[in-house]
Every structure is written in structure tokens, then in C-alpha cells.
Amino acid sequence: MSATLTRQPMNESRRSALSFVIVFVCIAAFIQAAIVVHARPQDLITGAHGIADILRRSWPPDIAGLPDMLWPALETIDIALFGTAVAVIFALPLALLAARNTTPATPVYVISRMFIALARVVPDLVWALIFVTAVGLGPFPGTLAIMLHSIGMLGRLFSEVIEDMDMGPVEALTMTGASRMAVFSHAVVPTVIPSLLGITLYRLDENIRSSLVLGFVGAGGIGFLLLTSMELFQYRTVAMLLILTFVIVIVAERGSAALRQRIS
């Protein structure tokens, strides 16, 4: 009894010391980050005049130039749409090979996981720089970048869904002597398809945002037009492009959310 009473204050003392150390480390990390990024709030105050000047020259937005912006806008959406669709085609079989409960052998599992990791850890912007260098400017390198990065992201998420699925239907069908393809089409797909569709729609939403940025490195779409307008100081065109970008992102986000809700 006395030992328990003695241990309890010691545990509380250790807990307090640990909390103090955690708070100290967090504060130290925040201070070093502020030093490394040269955080100077006074620069925002001195730069307010420049921001106000840019906003003044951006108004009113160049509505007359809207027809010329529609094609790059369509290009941006198509980069995301085509890249995501092709990524799903490759990611699904790759996920089956990278899931512990459906992979045919351990070496296949390891190789699949390594490919997924490689495609995922390299940002799509870096992939776009590589493909622009390899195949030239335009929407095609942007599509390749979106596709490759999405294969990594979707492959990982798909494999996690497959590993967590209910194995009852798979085991029941396997016991009847069904082929691997029959098990896949009649047990695996019906079990995981709602989750996979939800993940795909969410990824499409993310890819539309990403395809806007890829234009800054020459991968086509609105991003490329936005960069050109900024370099030529055409701020009214920039304002109109930002409004168009806002509309595309909001429509894609709301549409994707509505479809995911309907699927669930």
C-alpha cells in the first residue's frame, strides 16, 4: 500500500517532467524554424504598398480575354482527368500485387511496394520537370507527371483497402476451386469497389489542383498562361485567370464531394 502511494507521486512527477521537455522541444523547434525561414513580419508591413499597387492594377479583371482562357482551362481539367484515368488502370493491378492478402509471392509484393514508393515520394512537380526535359513543353509532360505520381498514391491507398477487406467471400470462392481471375472479379472487386471509387474521385479533385501548378514549369494549362501573364505584368489578365481557377477548383471540389457522398 505504501509502495503504491510512493510510486504514484513519482509517476506524476515523471509525467510533468516529460510534458515540460515536450513543450520545450516544440518551442525550440518553432524558434529555429522562424530563424531558418527568415520570418520578418515587418516585411509584410513595408510590402503592403506594393501589394496594394498590384491589386489596383488588377482591377477590373480582363473579362474580354475570357474566351482565350477557356482552352487552357479545358487543358488543365483534361490533364487531371486523363492522368487519373490512366493511373487507375495501372494502380489497381499493382495494388493487388502489393497487398499481403492477394499478392502471389513475397518478392512480387516487395517489388510492387518499391515501385509504389518511388512513384509516390517524388512530387508531381519534379516529375513534370523531368518529363518537360524529356518530351518538351505542353500538356503531355504534365499528364505523364500526374499519371505517375497518382499511380504511387492510388497504389498505396488501394492496397491498404484491399488488405483491410473482408476475406470471407474470397475464402469461400477459393474453396469451391474457382480460378484466381474468378475470385478477383466475383469476390475482391465487389467488396472494395465503393472505397476505390471514393478514393479515385478524391484523387481527381487533388489532381485538378496539381495540374494548375504544373503549368509553371511548362506543362501547359492555365498555370502556363498565368506565369506568362505575370512575367508580362498583365495583372488584369492574372486577376481573371485567378477567378477562373477559383471557379474550376470549387466546381471540382463540390462535384467530387457530391459523387463520393452518393457512392457511400
Side-chain angles (χ1 to χ4, degrees):
M1 181 70 180
S2 61
T4 305
L5 292 174
T6 307
R7 197 180 304 121
Q8 189 172 0
M10 287 184 64
N11 289 339
E12 290 180 358
S13 175
R14 287 178 182 174
R15 199 176 298 118
S16 300
L18 182 61
S19 301
F20 175 78
V21 170
I22 291 174
V23 171
F24 178 78
V25 169
C26 290
I27 293 174
F30 177 78
I31 292 174
Q32 73 84 26
I35 294 172
V36 170
V37 303
H38 303 289
R40 293 189 296 266
Q42 65 271 23
D43 286 357
L44 274 176
I45 299 173
T46 55
H49 176 73
I51 295 174
D53 182 58
I54 290 175
L55 292 176
R56 182 181 58 78
R57 287 195 279 172
S58 301
W59 189 262
D62 184 18
I63 299 177
L66 182 59
D68 296 331
M69 301 172 190
L70 294 180
W71 181 257
L74 178 64
E75 206 171 64
T76 296
I77 297 170
D78 285 345
I79 288 172
L81 191 63
F82 187 79
T84 306
V86 177
V88 170
I89 294 172
F90 285 98
L92 184 56
L94 192 62
L96 288 168
L97 299 176
R100 290 188 183 277
N101 53 345
T102 55
T103 189
T106 302
V108 175
Y109 168 81
V110 173
I111 293 172
S112 304
R113 283 283 175 175
M114 288 176 63
F115 181 80
I116 287 174
L118 175 64
R120 183 170 55 85
V121 297
V122 179
D124 48 12
L125 193 63
V126 177
W127 283 125
L129 282 169
I130 294 171
F131 285 124
V132 164
T133 305
V135 303
L137 301 173
F140 186 52
T143 306
L144 291 175
I146 288 286
M147 180 191 73
L148 193 53
H149 187 64
S150 295
I151 288 175
M153 296 300 295
L154 292 175
R156 180 195 172 191
L157 295 173
F158 284 2
S159 62
E160 289 178 356
V161 170
I162 293 170
E163 284 183 343
D164 292 337
M165 73 177 183
D166 179 15
M167 289 299 291
V170 175
E171 293 169 355
L173 206 57
T174 304
M175 290 177 67
T176 64
S179 65
R180 186 177 291 273
M181 183 58 69
V183 172
F184 170 72
S185 59
H186 291 85
V188 177
V189 171
T191 304
V192 300
I193 197 66
S195 299
L196 300 192
L197 284 174
I199 292 171
T200 301
L201 288 171
Y202 181 76
R203 189 63 206 170
L204 176 62
D205 180 19
E206 288 288 315
N207 283 345
I208 289 177
R209 301 166 201 265
S210 297
S211 61
L212 292 167
V213 180
L214 297 185
F216 285 115
V217 295
I222 282 185
F224 188 69
L225 192 58
L226 189 62
L227 179 65
T228 306
S229 302
M230 288 288 288
E231 291 177 342
L232 296 176
F233 304 105
Q234 297 173 341
Y235 294 117
R236 292 181 58 205
T237 303
V238 171
M240 193 63 228
L241 285 169
L242 291 178
I243 292 173
L244 188 58
T245 300
F246 176 78
V247 172
I248 291 173
V249 170
I250 291 298
V251 170
E253 184 180 295
R254 291 293 87 204
S256 174
L259 286 173
R260 287 202 305 271
Q261 189 174 13
R262 183 174 288 272
I263 291 171
S264 63

